[in-house]
Amino acid sequence: MPLTIPFDTTYLSLPDRFYSEVAAAPASAPQLIAFNRDLATELGLDIADMSDADAANIFSGNDVPSNAVPFAQVYAGHQFGGFSPRLGDGRAMHLGEIDGPAGRVDIQLKGSGPTPYSRNGDGRAWVGPVLREYLMSCAMQALDIPTTKALAAVLTGDPVLREQGRLPGAVLTRVAASHIRVGTFQYFAAQRDVEALHLLTDYTIQRHYPDATDPLQLFEMVMQKQATLVAKWMSVGFIHGVMNTDNVQIAGETIDYGPCAFMDVYHPDTVFSSIDRQGRYAYSNQGPITHWNLAQLATSLVQILPDTDKAIADFTAILDRFPALFEDEWAKAFAPKLGLAPSDETTLLAKDLLALMAEKGADFTNTFSTLDETQTLYPDWHARWRAAAPDDALWQKTNPQIIPRTHKIEQAIQAATHGDFDPFHEMLDAVKSPFTPNAAYAQPPKEAEKVHQTFCGT
Ligand code: AMP
Ligand code: MG
């Protein structure tokens, strides 16, 4: 039975210059890889009678629900520091918004074909990045870190051409609080389209920050969300990889899982993305880069305030608080990992442990999940930690045992490329239970299994 999705798409009430209506490219043989029934239920979708074939048709874009008006959003963004005035959904299409029991969300197909914003790309995705995003976003959710969510993954039956050759095409269905990015504001700011900036600001306040009474308050709330989010990433060893301003979501969810990774061996300078040659988005640079990205949002918002000099002074005063705010969020995220309350001494203990881990090349996740074993490796640190009287139950329940390790993701993708989805499903089960012991997924990679870079692979 075809699924009726009760779309109620408010973004379409914004002027035409915010988006383009689009159609999905047909998929020749859609086949369901995964469908997140829990999420569908959470969203209030009526899936009881939906077959896998129905799901494959809908979530490949073949069978667009009759009440959907598919569209692609326009945005701009600083990519590795350089400004691109016009990006936009180049390989994604919004089916629409639903206002369900879990609140208002966007439902978007990623990899469903070209849009007016595709520039040189084909608008398609291959199965690798689709499965990576599926695994990563499910893991984030299980770790209680704000993230966009994967609703479905579907093979299209059509190969896509990438550097590695012909690869199976796939579509990911993504659910997000919204897809408004710092880059959405930058798009209109770059054109000095003050009217659109006003509309976007009002829309964002209404949808995400109803308590904000002006752009400065909105900005302050976005800054708080970003500081919390990035501190949480760091507390699980996550490296986003492409923190361009178009990949910074205003609602504060992790978005656009490209060449991202959870670190195995801890080192603050770790970079995974093959295109990040300067280490701009290295693990330990994620706080400072968030500050920089927020400055770009502030620069855009200045335009809608009447007194420019005052606006610049006011935004600057808020932005200047970011480093202290981030330190604070970092301390709050790391303290329970040690089983301690946040304090200057706890922060020092955490930083000293990380320095020792970097020196020894320790595994990030496993060091924290077996903190009581640090006695053999770092006896002096262990004695200081014990003297601080940590709560063992607290650090044990805070530190995950299972994260989606890069080599396991690569193995699952390799198998999927050859039609075997068992490793993907097995891994999905493992990352959904990060606090359950699971030897096969807790092991760091063997030398031959190590993956040193992840590629955009779009
Ligand atoms: P990302 O690296 O995912 O943040 O993407 C940056 C920009 O490139 C976005 O505007 C995407 O829509 C666009 N893009 C990425 N991959 C493709 C593709 N295969 N076809 C068209 N546009 C793409
Ligand atoms: Mg992006």
Side-chain angles (χ1 to χ4, degrees):
M1 210 179 80
L3 178 71
T4 34
I5 300 179
F7 288 115
D8 169 30
T9 306
T10 56
Y11 207 80
L12 292 172
S13 68
L14 291 163
D16 290 354
R17 57 193 192 280
F18 280 69
Y19 57 85
S20 298
E21 286 184 26
V22 292
S28 59
Q31 200 187 329
L32 193 65
I33 303 168
F35 182 56
N36 191 341
R37 287 190 175 265
D38 293 344
L39 178 58
T41 308
E42 232 174 82
L43 297 175
L45 300 184
D46 182 11
I47 53 164
D49 297 327
M50 192 180 59
S51 68
D52 282 5
D54 292 336
N57 269 313
I58 295 165
F59 299 115
S60 62
N62 262 9
D63 201 355
V64 173
S66 58
N67 60 336
V69 180
F71 67 96
Q73 287 179 351
V74 69
Y75 50 83
H78 275 93
Q79 300 179 299
F80 293 91
F83 187 63
S84 299
R86 190 167 181 267
L87 293 167
D89 295 325
R91 62 175 147 170
M93 158 185 128
H94 289 246
L95 285 180
E97 296 157 30
I98 53 169
D99 193 6
R104 177 173 295 279
V105 292
D106 286 357
I107 300 184
Q108 189 198 62
L109 304 183
K110 202 171 165 185
S112 54
T115 77
Y117 314 117
S118 295
R119 297 181 302 167
N120 305 319
D122 58 3
R124 301 285 197 162
W126 72 276
V127 74
V130 167
L131 297 188
R132 180 181 291 115
E133 177 157 349
Y134 205 111
L135 289 164
M136 282 283 183
S137 58
C138 282
M140 278 293 183
Q141 214 186 324
L143 293 167
D144 205 23
I145 298 178
T147 180
T148 61
K149 295 168 185 171
L151 181 62
V154 177
L155 282 172
T156 58
D158 303 306
V160 294
L161 209 55
R162 293 293 180 267
E163 273 170 49
Q164 308 94 309
R166 275 159 66 94
L167 295 161
V171 175
L172 178 85
T173 303
R174 171 161 88 176
V175 172
S178 84
H179 287 79
I180 301 169
R181 308 142 188 270
V182 169
T184 319
F185 286 85
Q186 288 183 288
Y187 174 76
F188 295 112
Q191 301 180 36
R192 308 230 147 242
D193 186 343
V194 176
E195 187 202 6
L197 275 172
H198 270 290
L199 290 168
L200 180 62
T201 303
D202 290 348
Y203 180 89
T204 304
I205 288 176
Q206 205 174 14
R207 185 161 172 184
H208 298 301
Y209 298 95
D211 295 337
T213 54
D214 63 35
L216 285 159
Q217 276 191 10
L218 168 68
F219 180 70
E220 208 165 354
M221 290 177 187
V222 173
M223 181 167 99
Q224 175 66 57
K225 285 256 179 171
Q226 287 296 325
T228 310
L229 177 69
V230 177
K232 285 188 176 195
W233 288 354
M234 297 195 62
S235 75
V236 292
F238 179 72
I239 303 168
H240 182 285
V242 196
M243 293 174 71
N244 293 335
T245 54
D246 54 303
N247 294 337
V248 178
Q249 188 224 44
I250 294 290
E253 293 176 331
T254 312
I255 196 168
D256 280 358
Y257 293 89
C260 56
F262 284 76
M263 263 187 294
D264 296 305
V265 167
Y266 172 69
H267 197 284
D269 300 338
T270 308
V271 176
F272 275 100
S273 167
S274 58
I275 48 180
D276 190 3
R277 298 206 177 81
Q278 318 278 324
R280 180 178 174 90
Y281 302 135
Y283 172 78
S284 61
N285 212 28
Q286 296 185 113
I289 276 296
T290 300
H291 192 191
W292 192 92
N293 286 341
L294 287 164
Q296 309 316 310
L297 176 61
T299 302
S300 302
L301 288 171
V302 162
Q303 287 190 27
I304 58 174
L305 290 175
D307 180 341
T308 305
D309 289 343
K310 181 174 179 336
I312 291 172
D314 290 347
F315 277 113
T316 305
I318 299 172
L319 258 177
D320 284 349
R321 295 206 299 271
F322 182 84
L325 172 68
F326 186 70
E327 270 289 301
D328 215 42
E329 291 298 326
W330 191 96
K332 278 198 254 173
F334 273 80
K337 291 180 74 65
L338 299 188
L340 296 169
S343 71
D344 290 349
E345 295 81 70
T346 304
T347 299
L348 191 62
L349 261 178
K351 291 196 168 163
D352 287 349
L353 174 61
L354 289 169
L356 289 165
M357 286 163 61
E359 204 178 290
K360 298 258 183 198
D363 185 83
F364 185 92
T365 305
N366 293 353
T367 302
F368 281 101
S369 69
T370 59
L371 266 188
D372 43 346
E373 291 168 25
T374 51
Q375 191 163 16
T376 45
L377 272 170
Y378 325 119
D380 295 346
W381 184 87
H382 185 268
R384 281 169 60 206
W385 175 57
R386 277 288 161 212
D391 172 347
D392 287 328
L394 177 59
W395 67 260
Q396 281 163 358
K397 75 167 189 217
T398 305
N399 296 318
Q401 305 195 21
I402 307 301
I403 41 116
R405 290 186 185 267
T406 306
H407 69 292
K408 296 302 277 183
I409 296 179
E410 289 308 317
Q411 288 168 12
I413 291 174
Q414 276 304 317
T417 307
H418 299 106
D420 175 10
F421 290 88
D422 289 349
F424 163 74
H425 287 291
E426 204 183 273
M427 182 164 181
L428 187 58
D429 282 343
V431 301
K432 280 182 173 173
S433 300
F435 301 97
T436 305
N438 188 334
Y441 291 90
Q443 295 296 329
K446 300 190 184 76
E447 196 50 45
E449 292 175 322
K450 280 188 186 160
V451 180
H452 296 282
Q453 290 181 329
T454 54
F455 293 84
C456 257
T458 54

